[in-house]
Amino acid sequence: MGMRLHWTTRTILLLLFLLTISGCENNTKQLESTVPPVGNEVKSDLSGTIVMMTNRIDLIENGTFQGYADQFKQKYPEANVEFEGLSNYATDILVRLSTKDAGDVLLLPVNLPSKELDYFFEPLDEETSASERFTSFATYDGKRYGLSTGTTTVGIVYNKRSFEKAGITAVPQTLDQFYEACAKLKEAGIIPLYMNYGAVWPLREWGNSLVNYMTGNPEYLNNMVNEDSPWQLDNEWGKSISIARTLIAKGYVENELFSNNWEISKTRLAKGQAGMYLLGNWAVGQVLDVGASPDDIGFFPFPYDNSSTHYAPINPDWFVGVSKYSKNKELAMAWLNFFVKETSYSDDWGFLPADGSLNPFMPQYREFLSYEPKLVYGTVQSDAFIDLANGAKLSFWSGDYIQELLAAPDLQKSFDELNAKWTEARFATQVTSQP
């Protein structure tokens, strides 16, 4: 698998502290954030160049982000926005933050405890954050530090032509039916499900994502802080990982497991060479963007067991905020407002409506909701959970540990090792918290 660095929150803060000592004179005066008007008027006194950090490398390469920047420049002629993409954003951005080299506007790390948001991000004013629907996220001590870029769910993105070629006449609504569909796709010479094992990050859907919503309890992961041995073969962790391991064992996924073929996989699904993904709704737009006909791509809830109904999550996509170390915070705030509120980013990439109406314009979403999944609204990961995950050196948000679980010769043994790390981290946390 190669050697990986695990950056704990304490490591980041130590680096930050050392850097701050050497350059504190540059940060003794905090800039007040002035949010520009969101209307159509031009404010020419905003000038300079800012950098936005993003996980959407594809939107940098295909010019979409530059199109948004061009629109912004019409409003602020002296302003320029540049973009930098990180392929393993959840891990890489922590390293960049520790060196204060994280651009001006960036996606908030999902594995950063909320109590540490103020170390790295500029608080938003009430006008900027007034319309945010996910009020428990990206906040601490009454201050908000980020805006959600969209609202997502998770399910099976599929190619209808692939299903027809394989003789699948109805969308599978139980796990047994799902396996039967996979078998038919394989027999027809189609990759049943592209897992993107080599890309690593898509594997999160088989871990903390699926585990947290298949119970119907959005606090499932947060409640793990009360357990010494949360990984068990007969609970949600065992069920989720076992489904993925079964798909691999039966040859229902791509052959070239260790290659990062994310971009290739989208083309294969678009052309009907692959049948399905288990991913968020945002993947629909990406498959359409590489040439799939909208009529060929569908979306349905993942049937993770043989019951008649299934849960599906409603979560915010990434939150975006302004770096505390930006040298042009006023311009950065202007771009934050413009990107979230005035560009077509949310509509372009298939997010649910921000107003909570659940009345999407995308036909794939309407199909998804027609199966009447029980929607589970996400809650923010608690600082206690994030601290324990970091203390146990478990990369929940990168998918690395899922890759290891899927490849493990003995899943029970791997679960035992995870439980041992978790128990040790729980004990260390309890000792530290004692007076």
Side-chain angles (χ1 to χ4, degrees):
M1 302 286 179
M3 184 176 72
R4 284 180 295 274
L5 293 175
H6 297 277
W7 287 81
T8 67
T9 302
R10 291 183 178 88
T11 303
I12 294 167
L13 292 179
L14 177 59
L15 286 169
L16 183 60
F17 176 72
L18 293 173
L19 287 164
T20 304
I21 291 174
S22 64
C24 61
E25 68 273 11
N26 295 323
N27 293 292
T28 55
K29 184 178 181 181
Q30 181 175 352
L31 260 167
E32 276 192 13
S33 301
T34 304
V35 179
V38 183
N40 295 319
E41 63 272 20
V42 170
K43 186 176 180 183
S44 58
D45 59 334
L46 279 180
S47 62
T49 299
I50 57 172
V51 176
M52 178 177 177
M53 309 293 292
T54 177
N55 63 332
R56 295 301 301 270
I57 296 173
D58 58 319
L59 302 189
I60 298 174
E61 293 177 345
N62 69 15
T64 298
F65 274 165
Q66 186 57 51
Y68 298 151
D70 292 343
Q71 296 169 20
F72 185 69
K73 195 170 182 63
Q74 292 177 13
K75 188 171 183 179
Y76 306 106
E78 301 302 318
N80 298 289
V81 182
E82 298 177 352
F83 304 93
E84 182 178 349
L86 300 177
S87 58
N88 193 1
Y89 190 92
T91 300
D92 295 344
I93 196 61
L94 292 178
V95 180
R96 299 291 294 269
L97 280 171
S98 71
T99 61
K100 303 182 186 177
D101 180 24
D104 301 275
V105 177
L106 65 151
L107 307 180
L108 275 62
V110 291
N111 44 348
L112 185 72
S114 59
K115 62 189 176 185
E116 295 171 10
L117 287 167
D118 186 52
Y119 287 111
F120 304 107
F121 293 94
E122 190 72 9
L124 309 180
D125 70 8
E126 292 183 5
E127 182 182 353
T128 296
S129 58
S131 61
E132 177 57 54
R133 66 182 293 186
F134 291 99
T135 56
S136 68
F137 290 77
T139 62
Y140 184 71
D141 197 23
K143 296 179 181 179
R144 169 164 293 283
Y145 295 90
L147 298 181
S148 60
T149 55
T151 304
T152 69
T153 189
V154 175
I156 298 294
V157 180
Y158 74 106
N159 189 304
K160 297 177 182 179
R161 302 290 85 80
S162 295
F163 273 37
E164 290 176 4
K165 182 179 178 182
I168 302 168
T169 57
V171 163
Q173 297 188 52
T174 66
L175 184 58
D176 286 345
Q177 291 174 2
F178 184 77
Y179 287 144
E180 291 170 7
C182 287
K184 290 181 178 180
L185 287 162
K186 182 179 179 181
E187 187 177 349
I190 298 166
I191 299 170
L193 182 138
Y194 221 108
M195 186 173 283
N196 272 296
Y197 181 96
V200 184
W201 60 264
L203 299 181
R204 292 174 300 190
E205 300 303 345
W206 300 98
N208 42 297
S209 174
L210 177 55
V211 165
N212 204 44
Y213 69 78
M214 70 190 295
T215 64
N217 176 16
E219 296 292 341
Y220 184 92
L221 291 182
N222 286 337
N223 291 340
M224 283 172 55
V225 302
N226 302 314
E227 302 179 54
D228 278 337
S229 302
W231 284 272
Q232 301 293 334
L233 292 177
D234 61 355
N235 70 4
E236 283 71 22
W237 278 106
K239 293 173 185 176
S240 177
I241 299 301
S242 294
I243 294 172
R245 285 169 63 94
T246 296
L247 293 173
I248 294 174
K250 291 182 176 293
Y252 292 160
V253 302
E254 68 271 16
N255 290 325
E256 60 279 13
L257 282 181
F258 294 97
S259 300
N260 186 345
N261 288 331
W262 167 243
E263 295 300 330
I264 293 173
S265 76
K266 291 189 290 187
T267 300
R268 287 180 176 171
L269 191 69
K271 292 182 176 179
Q273 298 168 349
M276 297 181 283
Y277 277 149
L278 173 63
L279 285 174
N281 53 277
W282 52 265
V284 172
Q286 294 211 25
V287 174
L288 298 180
D289 194 45
V290 296
S293 167
D295 294 335
D296 289 351
I297 304 302
F299 190 42
F300 62 89
F302 179 46
Y304 47 78
D305 59 25
N306 288 322
S307 62
S308 57
T309 59
H310 296 94
Y311 292 106
I314 293 292
N315 291 318
D317 198 57
W318 290 89
F319 284 80
V320 62
V322 170
S323 170
K324 193 161 188 173
Y325 304 103
S326 169
K327 292 180 171 58
N328 197 337
K329 290 178 183 160
E330 187 177 3
L331 181 57
M333 284 287 180
W335 169 251
L336 171 70
N337 272 280
F338 184 86
F339 178 75
V340 173
K341 301 175 182 180
E342 295 192 49
T343 72
S344 57
Y345 177 80
S346 181
D347 290 340
D348 288 347
W349 305 106
F351 292 118
L352 278 171
D355 61 6
S357 66
L358 294 182
N359 185 27
F361 71 93
M362 285 185 67
Q364 289 84 4
Y365 245 136
R366 292 197 294 271
E367 177 190 0
F368 182 91
L369 294 172
S370 74
Y371 295 103
E372 300 183 347
K374 296 179 180 179
L375 299 176
V376 179
Y377 281 77
T379 57
V380 67
Q381 297 304 172
S382 67
D383 283 1
F385 176 80
I386 293 174
D387 285 344
L388 265 183
N390 288 336
K393 295 182 172 62
L394 296 179
S395 52
F396 277 95
W397 297 269
S398 70
D400 295 37
Y401 77 108
I402 298 297
Q403 192 180 62
E404 295 169 2
L405 291 175
L406 297 183
D410 185 335
L411 183 58
Q412 180 64 64
K413 183 178 180 180
S414 293
F415 276 179
D416 290 343
E417 292 171 355
L418 287 176
N419 287 329
K421 291 180 180 179
W422 194 254
T423 301
E424 183 180 355
R426 284 194 73 214
F427 177 76
T429 301
Q430 291 166 0
V431 169
T432 303
S433 62
Q434 289 177 359

